[in-house]
Amino acid sequence: MKVLVLNCGSSSLKYQIINMVGEELLAKGIAERIGLEGSFVKHEPANGKKEVIETELKDHKDAIKVLIDALLDKTYGVLSSMDEINAVGHRVVHAGEKFSGSVMITQEVIDALEDCSDLAPLHNPPNLMGIYACKEIMPSTPMVGVFDTAFHQTMPPSSYLYALPYELYEKYKIRRYGFHGTSHKYVAIKTAELLGKPLEELKIVTCHLGNGASMAAIQYGQSIDTTMGFTPLEGLVMGTRCGDIDPAIISFIMEKEDMSISDVNNIMNKKSGVLGVSGVSSDFRDIEEAAQDGNERAKIALEIFYKKVTKYIGAYAAEMGGLDAIVFTAGLGENSDIARKEICKNLSFLGATIDNNKNDGVRGKETIVSTDGSSVKIVLMPTNEELMIARETKAIV
Ligand code: ADP
C-alpha cells in the first residue's frame, strides 16, 4: 500500500509518498509560492537527485497536479500509474472538539472542519483546499484526516478549561486544545519501543522544540496536559511567539502604543519569543552563536526559553505523580545538545541526570542521553509526523 501524505499551507504544500510495506519513503517534495509569481515544485526521489519544476501554480489543485506528474515522471518519478496511490493522508491543524482520532474524510467531516476554520483561520482553510483539490483530481482515492489537536482530546476538563465564565466555553468553545499532537504521539510510541516497556505503563513528558514549541504530559499513552492552548500561542517561549504572558499586558500595550487588536496579535505571534528578547533572530542556531560571542540579550533569551521548559517538566511530573522519561524532539530538541543540557541541569532531584558524554554533539538519532543510573530516562527521539500520518491513514483505510 502506498500513501500520499499532504501538508497544505497557505502558499506552500509539502508532500511525501510512502510505501507502507517496510515504511519506505519513495519521494518527498514541496510546492512553493502557490498563487504567487515564481511558483515551483521541488521534488526529491529517495534514490535520485532533486528536481526543481518551475511552473505556474495558480492554486493547490495545480500544485497537486504537478506533484502527481512528478511522481509519474519517466526520469525522476517513483510510480508507474496514479492508481498506485492507494490513499491520501491530510494533515489538518484544528478539529475542535469533534474528533479525538483520525477519520476517513466524508462530506460530513469536511463540513465539521469548515466549522472549525474560525478556530484556526490561518491553517484550516489551506488544509481544506488540499482536500477539495484531491477530491476533484482523484475522486475514488480514499482520504484520511489526521489532526494536530486529536491526540490531546483525552485531556480532562481540569486541564482544558480556562478559568473564564463557563458560558464562553459553551458559546464559543473557548478551551485549551493543544497542537503538535501527531508528533507528541509518535515520539511517545517510539520512546516506549526504545525503552522496551509498554506505553500504557509509562509517564512521559514530550518536548517538541522547534520554531513552534510545545510539551505534553503523556500518562499511560494518553495526553493529560499540554502547553499550547486555544491557539498555538500559549505555553513555551518560541522562535517568534511569546507563549504564556499576563493577559493584562495586552490592553496595557494597546493603550500605551495606541495599537489595534491585530497589531498586538502580530507582536505576540511574530515579533516576540527568542527573537523579541534577543533582537538577533528567531533561529536558535543564530542565538546560540550570539550568546557564545557574549551577546547578553541572546543569553537571556535562551535562559528564559530553557527555564520555561524546565518549569513545565517539573509541573507535569507533579501532575502525573511521577516520571519515567523526558523526550526531546523537533529542530532544537533533536539538534541542540546545549539546550538539552541546560534544560535538564537541575533535574537530578527528580531522578533525571543527563550524561554529557552521551549528549554532547549528538543530533538527529534515537538514543538515551541520561546516565545509566538515572531513574528517569532522558531521550532524544527524532519526530516523523509524515510517517505517523501515513500509519494512521493506512490503519483507517
Ligand atoms: P518548525 O517545524 O516549527 O518550523 P523545526 O522543528 O524545523 O521547526 O525546527 C526549526 C528550528 O530548530 C530552527 O529555527 C532552529 O532554531 C532549530 N535548530 C535546527 N538545527 C539546530 C541546531 N543544530 N542547533 C540549534 N538549533 C537548531
Side-chain angles (χ1 to χ4, degrees):
M1 177 182 191
K2 287 171 190 154
V3 176
L4 176 65
V5 176
L6 292 182
N7 181 354
C8 298
S10 57
S11 67
S12 73
L13 184 165
K14 290 188 205 148
Y15 65 93
Q16 285 197 4
I17 179 110
I18 299 173
N19 186 350
M20 296 314 287
V21 180
E23 297 191 334
E24 181 197 2
L25 173 71
L26 301 176
K28 64 177 179 177
I30 182 165
E32 290 195 63
R33 302 186 58 82
I34 298 170
L36 303 168
E37 241 173 70
S39 49
F40 60 90
V41 173
K42 209 187 292 169
H43 175 77
E44 199 176 344
N47 300 315
K49 73 177 194 14
K50 237 183 244 174
E51 275 297 320
V52 178
I53 305 145
E54 289 178 21
T55 178
E56 192 189 357
L57 305 171
K58 285 192 302 298
D59 50 27
H60 288 71
K61 197 167 124 192
D62 277 356
I64 292 170
K65 279 185 185 157
V66 174
L67 80 85
I68 289 176
D69 285 346
L71 292 173
L72 297 175
D73 190 87
K74 292 236 154 32
T75 346
Y76 48 80
V78 292
L79 304 177
S80 49
S81 135
M82 207 166 113
D83 298 339
E84 282 185 57
I85 302 174
N86 303 110
V88 182
H90 289 271
R91 179 209 182 191
V92 180
V93 168
H94 216 308
E97 287 186 314
K98 300 239 166 63
F99 304 109
S100 55
S102 305
V103 290
M104 187 75 87
I105 295 177
T106 59
Q107 191 53 48
E108 211 181 339
V109 171
I110 292 176
D111 293 343
L113 295 176
E114 287 282 7
D115 285 346
C116 293
S117 281
D118 253 9
L119 298 175
L122 299 179
H123 294 102
N124 271 32
N127 298 160
L128 279 159
M129 275 190 252
I131 293 173
Y132 290 129
C134 286
K135 234 179 125 186
E136 257 188 84
I137 298 168
M138 34 185 142
S140 53
T141 310
M143 296 196 283
V144 171
V146 182
F147 313 114
D148 276 32
T149 48
F151 182 57
H152 301 299
Q153 279 294 305
T154 45
M155 285 193 290
S158 54
S159 292
Y160 73 68
L161 279 179
Y162 291 109
L164 289 166
Y166 194 76
E167 298 77 55
L168 289 174
Y169 165 61
E170 291 178 314
K171 212 165 152 188
Y172 303 113
K173 295 286 167 229
I174 296 177
R175 50 158 283 176
R176 308 183 62 253
Y177 291 97
F179 299 86
H180 292 141
T182 312
S183 175
H184 288 295
K185 182 175 176 183
Y186 177 80
V187 297
I189 293 171
K190 295 284 289 180
T191 296
E193 281 170 23
L194 181 72
L195 301 182
K197 295 200 173 134
L199 183 58
E200 296 70 29
E201 289 175 13
L202 294 172
K203 293 174 177 174
I204 303 177
V205 173
T206 46
C207 312
H208 177 111
L209 310 179
N211 232 328
S214 72
M215 293 168 59
I218 302 175
Q219 185 167 16
Y220 312 139
Q222 298 202 321
S223 171
I224 63 148
D225 210 345
T226 189
T227 56
M228 282 179 170
F230 181 58
T231 74
L233 184 58
E234 192 181 344
L236 302 177
V237 170
M238 307 181 211
T240 61
R241 287 175 236 165
C242 59
D244 303 331
I245 57 167
D246 181 341
I249 296 170
I250 297 167
S251 56
F252 186 87
I253 317 178
M254 284 174 72
E255 244 175 65
K256 292 282 177 198
E257 299 268 314
D258 194 19
M259 278 183 177
S260 66
I261 289 279
S262 76
D263 292 336
V264 183
N265 258 332
N266 192 43
I267 289 185
M268 293 189 300
N269 278 291
K270 305 224 166 107
K271 298 195 169 150
S272 301
V274 287
L275 166 71
V277 178
S278 71
V280 172
S281 164
S282 63
D283 192 304
F284 282 89
R285 284 164 287 203
D286 301 336
I287 306 172
E288 282 180 4
E289 206 179 301
Q292 272 156 13
D293 291 343
N295 182 318
E296 283 305 318
R297 273 172 55 189
K299 280 189 208 167
I300 295 170
L302 290 175
E303 280 166 18
I304 297 174
F305 173 83
Y306 300 147
K307 186 176 282 193
K308 202 53 165 282
V309 179
T310 309
K311 276 194 198 179
Y312 272 113
I313 293 173
Y316 287 168
E319 201 174 335
M320 293 192 285
L323 189 60
D324 297 297
I326 300 166
V327 184
F328 288 98
T329 195
L332 182 76
E334 289 171 28
N335 291 299
S336 174
D337 49 3
I338 302 176
R340 294 189 297 263
K341 186 167 139 183
E342 288 297 319
I343 289 165
C344 295
K345 73 180 176 197
N346 287 329
L347 296 179
S348 286
F349 82 97
L350 261 183
T353 307
I354 201 153
D355 184 332
N356 290 332
N357 290 325
K358 293 182 190 164
N359 182 55
D360 288 355
V362 178
R363 38 166 55 201
K365 72 169 196 193
E366 278 177 33
T367 184
I368 297 172
V369 295
S370 46
T371 58
D372 294 342
S374 181
S375 57
V376 176
K377 302 298 171 205
I378 304 172
V379 172
L380 197 175
M381 182 58 68
T383 193
N384 191 340
E385 287 162 283
E386 290 79 11
L387 178 58
M388 192 71 208
I389 293 173
R391 282 183 184 173
E392 299 261 320
T393 303
K394 179 184 167 202
I396 301 259
V397 169

